[in-house]
Amino acid sequence: GVGPSDASPDEGVVEDLPLIDEKAVEQLTEGLISHYLPDLQRSKSALQELTQNQEVLLETLEQEISKFKECNSILDINALFSEAKHYHNKLVNIRNEMMMLHEKTSKLKVSGIN
C-alpha cells in the first residue's frame, strides 16, 4: 500500500527554508565587495600599466626593425657597388688586353710587309 515512506523527498523543503533577510544580504554583499574591490582595482591599474608598457615596447621594437631593414638595404647597395667596381675593373683589363693585342697585330703586319 501507499504509506508515509512513499512521500517525495523534496516535499516540505521550501517551507523549511528560513526567510531571507534582504538587509543582511545587502550588507554581506557590500562587505564582500569592499573586501575584494581594492585588490581588483589595484590589479586593474597594474594590468593597464603593463598593457601601456607593452605597447611602448612594441613601438620601439618596430622602430628598431625598420632601422635593421634600412641597414640591410644599405648593405645590399654597398654589395652592388662593389660588384659593379669588380666588373668595371674586368672591363678595363679586357680593354687593355685588346689594345695590347691590337698593337702586336699591327707590328706583325708592319714587319710582315717589310
Side-chain angles (χ1 to χ4, degrees):
V2 177
S5 61
D6 290 337
S8 170
D10 293 334
E11 198 174 302
V13 170
V14 177
E15 292 83 25
D16 292 344
L17 283 174
L19 288 173
I20 297 168
D21 185 356
E22 295 290 331
K23 184 77 174 166
V25 170
E26 194 177 316
Q27 286 176 340
L28 285 169
T29 306
E30 283 176 14
L32 194 66
I33 288 173
S34 67
H35 180 73
Y36 286 108
L37 197 60
D39 284 341
L40 288 172
Q41 284 173 332
R42 277 194 294 273
S43 297
K44 182 183 176 184
S45 63
L47 284 172
Q48 284 174 335
E49 188 180 343
L50 182 64
T51 305
Q52 286 174 348
N53 289 341
Q54 284 180 331
E55 285 172 5
V56 170
L57 185 62
L58 279 173
E59 285 175 20
T60 309
L61 277 174
E62 283 171 7
Q63 289 172 1
E64 292 301 314
I65 287 169
S66 65
K67 284 181 191 174
F68 277 117
K69 284 180 181 173
E70 285 174 19
C71 286
N72 280 342
S73 60
I74 289 170
L75 287 174
D76 290 345
I77 290 169
N78 286 339
L80 277 174
F81 275 122
S82 64
E83 202 173 340
K85 189 177 178 184
H86 172 72
Y87 284 115
H88 177 260
N89 288 339
K90 276 191 165 189
L91 283 171
V92 168
N93 288 339
I94 290 170
R95 184 171 150 259
N96 289 341
E97 278 186 48
M98 287 177 74
M99 286 174 64
M100 196 174 68
L101 287 171
H102 178 70
E103 281 180 32
K104 283 184 179 179
T105 52
S106 297
K107 284 180 185 175
L108 283 172
K109 284 179 186 174
V110 170
S111 64
I113 293 170
N114 290 345

